[in-house]
Amino acid sequence: MTFLKRSVWTLYWKGIVAKLSLDSRVALQLSPGPCRYFDEPVDVKVTGLPPEQYVEVRSKLIDSRNVSFKALATFCSDKNGHIDLARCPSLGGSYSGIEAMGLFTSMRPLVPHSRLTKRDVSTPLSVDIEVTCNGLVVAKDTVQRRFLGDGVQKVPLEGGSIRGSLFLPPGPGPFPAILDMPHLGGALTELRASLLANKGYVVMALAYHGYQDLPKVLDKLDLEYFEEAVTFLRAHPKVKGTGIGILSISKSGDLAFAISAFLPGVAAIVSINGCNANTQFSLHYKDMVIPPTKMDLKNVTVTADGLLDVRDVVLDPMMEENQASVIPIERANCHFMFVASEDDRNWNSVLFSEQAAQRLRDYGKENFEVVRYPKAGHFLDVPYMPHCPSSFHPAVGRVVVMGGEPKAHAEAQVDLWKRVQEFFQEAFKQ
C-alpha cells in the first residue's frame, strides 16, 4: 500500500512537471538582459507558474580552475504565478529571506575552501540558472557576467621588471589612474582593474609574486619594484598628472602604505583589511630595511570544523618590539580610506585601521576616513562575488577561516564598491 501511495504521488508530481514543461507561458526572465557586467545586479523573475507553486531556482558556474560553484533556493509563486527574487523570500536552500542577488552571492564551491577565480577577464563568466519542480527542469537560461567593457584595452606589461596588465579606457584621455595590488597568493588578479577601467580609469593590475618570471616563494620584497610600476603608470600618455590612486587588500595594504610614505605621486589609497605595519617579509628600499612584524604561532586556535583561526598571530604593531615595522604613513601626502571588516579572521584589521588613523591624528593630519563593516570577513571583493569563508593561506600553508556572515558580507561588498569609486573621484578632484 505504501509503495502504491508513493507511486501515485510520483505520478501526480510528474504530471504537474509535464504540464509546466509543456506550457509555453512558463519563462525565466533575466533583465535588463542576458549579458551584464559582473558588478551590476541581475533581476531574476519566473512567470507562467500555477499560483502558489513551490519550485527550486538553481544557479551554477564553473570558474577558471574548473571548480563548480552552485546555489539553490526554494520559492512559492504568488497568486499570479510569478516569482521575483527581489521581492519573494527564499524559503530555504543556500540562503533564506529576500536577497535579490542571493543566487549569486550564496554560491558555494563543490571543492571546499575554494575562492572563485577568473583568470581571463576578456571573456564573460557564464552563470546557468534553472527552475526545477520536483527535480525536473521547467525553465532555464544563462546570464553572461562581463568584466571588460566595449573599447577597453588590456595591455600585458612586458619589458622592464614589472608584471601584470594595464587596462585603458576608450578615448584619448587623459584619465585618472589606479594601481591595483592583490593579496598575498593572488598572483595576478584583474577583476577589480577591468571593472574600474569600464568606469573611466587607467588601471594597472600589478603582480608581485607567483606570476610569469616573478618569484613563486618570497623571502623579501623590494620597494624599487613598486617604484617602477608607479613611475610607469604616471608617465603613461593617457594618465592625468595629478597623482595616482592605489587599491590594496590584505598584505598589499602595507605595501601601499610604504609606497605612499617613501615615493612621490600618490594621491589616494584604499586599504581593505590591511595592516599598518610591514608583515611577513622584510621590505627593502635603497639602504633601508623594514622588518616584518613579530608573530606568535601559539595564538593559533582551531575551530569546531577543524580549521585554523590565525586572527591573533600577527602581534600588535604598537608593541615595542614591532615599532621598527610600522609604516610612517604621516610622511605621505595623500588621502587614505582604511577599510576594516569586524569579523576578519585573517588578522585584526579593525585594530590596524584604528592605529593607522590614530597615527595620522597624532601628527595633526585628518586626511583619512575609516570604514567598518560588522559581520563581514577578510576577502571583501567586488559586488556579487560569492562569499569565501575559508581558504588556503599561502603564508600558513593550511586552510584558515576568513570570517564573515554571507548576507552581511555581500551587502558590505556592494557598499564598499560604491564608496571606493566615490573616494577616488573626490581625491582626484584635489
Side-chain angles (χ1 to χ4, degrees), residues 372-394:
R372 289 172 58 168
Y373 290 106
K375 301 180 181 180
H378 185 67
F379 281 129
L380 282 177
D381 215 315
V382 296
Y384 317 121
M385 178 66 72
H387 173 226
C388 179
S390 59
S391 179
F392 179 83
H393 197 304

Side-chain angles (χ1 to χ4, degrees), residues 37 121-122 146-150 152-154 167 194-195 197-198:
Y37 291 119
V121 295
S122 65
R146 294 179 63 192
F147 299 94
L148 209 58
D150 295 334
V152 175
Q153 292 179 280
K154 173 187 169 182
F167 292 87
S194 59
L195 292 171
N198 298 340

Side-chain angles (χ1 to χ4, degrees), residues 186-414:
L188 179 64
T189 57
E190 300 177 333
L191 273 66
R192 296 186 308 191
S194 59
L195 292 171
L196 284 171
N198 298 340
K199 304 177 191 304
Y201 295 96
V202 172
V203 189
M204 177 188 290
L206 183 69
Y208 54 91
H209 78 105
Y211 178 72
Q212 293 183 350
D213 57 349
L214 296 176
K216 290 182 172 56
V217 178
L218 291 172
D219 57 7
K220 69 169 187 171
L221 284 166
D222 295 302
L223 197 60
E224 283 87 352
Y225 177 81
F226 302 94
E227 184 174 34
E228 182 178 342
V230 171
T231 301
F232 177 94
L233 192 54
R234 293 185 66 199
H236 196 281
K238 273 198 170 187
V239 171
K240 285 183 177 180
T242 52
I244 68 166
I246 301 178
L247 180 56
S248 61
I249 182 170
S250 193
K251 165 61 189 173
S252 65
D254 58 77
L255 293 173
F257 293 157
I259 292 171
S260 71
F262 299 109
L263 304 178
V266 178
I269 286 178
V270 175
S271 170
I272 303 171
N273 292 325
C275 184
N276 56 315
N278 183 47
T279 59
Q280 298 173 313
F281 317 103
S282 60
L283 180 62
H284 297 243
Y285 184 56
K286 299 179 180 179
D287 296 329
M288 177 187 67
V289 178
I290 301 178
T293 52
K294 305 294 183 183
M295 297 187 292
D296 190 346
L297 296 179
K298 293 195 297 291
N299 291 340
V300 175
T301 59
V302 181
T303 69
D305 296 326
L307 302 179
L308 299 186
D309 187 331
V310 299
R311 177 184 179 273
D312 297 318
V313 168
V314 174
L315 299 179
D316 186 346
M318 291 296 103
M319 295 172 57
E320 183 176 352
E321 53 265 49
N322 275 338
Q323 287 296 300
S325 302
V326 177
I327 307 296
I329 55 174
E330 70 279 0
R331 295 170 50 114
N333 295 312
C334 68
H335 296 270
F336 294 94
M337 177 188 284
F338 306 121
V339 181
S341 296
E342 294 185 5
D343 193 36
D344 185 353
R345 306 309 302 177
N346 180 74
W347 55 23
N348 196 343
S349 55
V350 170
L351 174 66
F352 301 156
S353 66
E354 291 174 345
Q355 290 181 351
Q358 188 57 52
R359 186 178 183 97
L360 291 175
R361 290 190 195 97
D362 291 344
Y363 280 88
K365 294 193 170 188
E366 295 293 336
N367 55 334
F368 66 90
E369 58 184 276
V370 179
V371 180
R372 289 172 58 168
Y373 290 106
K375 301 180 181 180
H378 185 67
F379 281 129
L380 282 177
D381 215 315
V382 296
Y384 317 121
M385 178 66 72
H387 173 226
C388 179
S390 59
S391 179
F392 179 83
H393 197 304
V396 180
R398 296 273 299 277
V399 172
V400 304
V401 290
M402 292 295 174
E405 297 182 8
K407 183 177 182 180
H409 191 91
E411 292 171 347
Q413 290 185 153
V414 173

